[in-house]
C-alpha cells in the first residue's frame, strides 16, 4: 500500500512543529553538504535549504508517491533521490549534516543504525534526528495490541510492528560512545486536540496504520479498521480529546 501524501499532510501543522524545533538545534555553516533522510514530499527539505542558504541539500525517500510532490522544489542547491536509508549507508558518501525528521522509526536495529549514521559524518559534522516515541504513544499501543489478537494475528501471519525506537538513555550513550559532542537529547509532548475520534484515526492512518493494512485484503481491512476505531473511542471517552503525542529529538556534532 503506497503512502498517500494527501492523507499524511492533513496534519501538516502538527507534523511541522517538531521539524522547526529540530532545525533550531542546528548551526548554520558555510558550504555544508547535507542530507535529509526520509524527506517525504520535500517541503521540509526546501525549508532547510532556505534556512541554510550556503549549503547543498539532498532529500531521499523510498516512496515514489511522496517524491512526486518534490520535483518542482528542486534547484541548484536542492535535489531529491529515491533511496532507502540503508542504501545511503552503503553508498560511501559522507556528509556535513545528517537530518531526519520522523523517518528513522521505520528503520530497524537502532543500536547498529545510529553508529553507522555517525560514521557518515565528516569531522565537525552535525546530526539532528526526530522520531515519534512509539512505545509511549497510546494509539501505537492500541494498534499493536489489536494486531496481536485473533483473527488479526493469523491474518497478519503473526506480523506486528515492533518499534525499534530506544530510550533516551540509550541514545545519549550511543552519541557519547561514537564521539558526538554538544549532545542534546530530549523527549517532548506535542498534544493533538481532537474534536472527534475520526481525527485521531486519521492521524495514525497516514503513517503507522499503513503497514498493517497492506498485509490484509479489503474485507479484512474493513474489519480491522472498524475494531481499531472502536478501541480508539473507548480509550478517549471524553471529547474533545487530548492525545499526548511524544517525540524524541536529538542533536550532536562529531568531534
Amino acid at each position: 500500500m503506497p503512502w498517500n501524501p494527501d492523507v499524511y499532510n492533513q496534519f501538516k501543522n502538527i507534523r511541522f512543529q517538531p521539524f522547526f524545533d529540530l532545525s533550531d538545534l542546528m548551526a548554520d555553516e558555510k558550504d555544508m553538504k547535507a542530507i535529509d533522510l526520509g524527506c517525504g514530499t520535500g517541503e521540509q527539505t526546501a525549508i532547510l535549504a532556505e534556512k541554510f542558504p550556503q549549503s547543498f541539500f539532498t532529500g531521499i525517500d523510498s516512496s515514489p508517491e511522496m517524491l512526486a510532490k518534490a520535483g518542482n522544489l528542486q534547484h541548484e542547491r536542492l535535489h531529491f533521490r529515491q533511496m532507502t536509508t540503508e542504501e545511503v549507508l552503503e553508498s560511501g558518501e559522507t556528509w556535513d549534516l545528517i537530518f531526519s525528521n520522523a523517518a528513522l522509526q521505520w528503520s530497524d536495529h537502532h543500536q547498529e543504525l545510529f553508529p553507522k549514521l555517525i560514521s557518515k559524518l565528516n569531522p565537525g559534522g552535525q546530526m539532528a534526528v526526530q522520531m515519534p516515541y512509539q512505545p509511549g504513544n497510546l494509539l501505537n499501543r492500541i494498534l499493536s495490541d489489536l494486531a496481536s489478537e485473533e483473527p488479526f494475528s493469523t491474518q497478519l501471519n503473526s506480523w506486528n510492528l515492533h518499534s525499534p525506537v530506544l530510550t533516551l538513555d540509550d541514545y545519549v550513550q550511543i552519541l557519547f560512545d561514537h564521539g558526538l559532542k554538544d549532545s542534546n537529547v530530549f523527549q517532548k509532548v506535542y498534544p493533538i486536540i481532537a474534536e472527534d475520534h475520526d481525527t485521531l484515526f486519521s492521524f495514525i492512518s497516514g503513517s503507522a496504520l499503513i503497514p498493517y493494512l497492506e498485509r490484509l485484503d479489503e474485507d479484512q481491512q474493513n474489519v480491522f479498521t472498524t475494531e481499531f476505531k472502536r478501541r480508539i473511542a473507548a480509550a478517549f471517552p471524553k471529547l474533545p480529546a487530548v492525545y499526548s503525542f511524544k517525540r524524541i529529538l536529538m542533536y550532536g556534532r562529531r568531534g
Side-chain angles (χ1 to χ4, degrees):
M1 177 177 292
W3 281 71
N4 187 328
D6 294 326
V7 173
Y8 186 82
N9 280 336
Q10 287 178 11
F11 298 89
K12 179 186 292 188
N13 291 339
I14 293 171
R15 299 188 193 278
F16 266 54
Q17 186 54 55
F19 160 78
F20 287 117
D21 290 345
L22 185 64
S23 65
D24 285 344
L25 300 176
M26 302 183 302
D28 187 6
E29 297 179 352
K30 292 182 178 180
D31 301 325
M32 286 191 297
K33 180 187 175 187
I35 189 167
D36 181 2
L37 302 175
C39 65
T41 59
E43 292 176 87
Q44 294 178 353
T45 325
I47 293 171
L48 291 177
E50 292 181 9
K51 183 180 178 70
F52 303 112
Q54 295 178 299
S55 296
F56 301 84
F57 281 83
T58 299
I60 69 106
D61 202 279
S62 62
S63 169
E65 292 81 14
M66 287 291 200
L67 288 175
K69 300 279 187 177
N72 62 346
L73 298 174
Q74 294 192 118
H75 54 74
E76 61 181 6
R77 293 189 300 103
L78 174 60
H79 300 278
F80 297 95
R81 301 182 205 164
Q82 185 179 343
M83 297 178 71
T84 66
T85 297
E86 290 70 24
E87 287 170 336
V88 170
L89 292 175
E90 295 170 0
S91 69
E93 289 188 78
T94 58
W95 309 87
D96 301 309
L97 170 62
I98 295 176
F99 181 90
S100 183
N101 184 60
L104 293 182
Q105 73 274 12
W106 299 109
S107 295
D108 293 329
H109 309 301
H110 282 199
Q111 288 282 7
E112 292 79 36
L113 174 67
F114 275 80
K116 289 179 181 178
L117 287 173
I118 294 169
S119 74
K120 297 298 180 179
L121 285 174
N122 294 323
Q126 304 173 76
M127 184 178 76
V129 173
Q130 183 274 123
M131 299 173 292
Y133 185 56
Q134 295 164 330
N137 285 330
L138 181 55
L139 290 181
N140 293 93
R141 297 202 304 269
I142 295 171
L143 182 57
S144 180
D145 289 346
L146 178 61
S148 69
E149 299 175 11
E150 295 297 349
F152 308 116
S153 179
T154 297
Q155 293 169 358
L156 291 163
N157 294 318
S158 298
W159 180 88
N160 208 334
L161 182 62
H162 296 291
S163 174
V165 178
L166 305 173
T167 67
L168 293 177
D169 289 349
D170 289 328
Y171 290 117
V172 170
Q173 190 69 53
I174 290 170
L175 269 57
F176 176 79
D177 287 344
H178 293 86
L180 290 199
K181 310 295 184 182
D182 304 324
S183 295
N184 189 354
V185 181
F186 60 96
Q187 183 182 101
K188 184 174 179 179
V189 173
Y190 293 86
I192 297 170
I193 312 301
E195 296 295 331
D196 51 45
H197 297 118
D198 282 343
T199 299
L200 295 172
F201 173 78
S202 295
F203 177 74
I204 197 167
S205 70
S207 54
L209 183 60
I210 293 173
Y212 291 91
L213 296 185
E214 67 185 4
R215 289 169 167 80
L216 302 173
D217 63 34
E218 185 174 355
D219 290 338
Q220 293 168 346
Q221 288 177 7
N222 290 334
V223 176
F224 189 86
T225 55
T226 297
E227 177 60 16
F228 186 33
K229 288 179 179 180
R230 187 193 70 78
R231 295 192 184 197
I232 290 173
F236 295 89
K238 182 181 178 181
L239 292 174
V242 180
Y243 177 37
S244 299
F245 193 74
K246 305 173 186 71
R247 297 179 181 270
I248 290 177
L249 295 87
M250 68 181 80
Y251 168 85
R253 179 187 291 273
R254 189 171 187 184

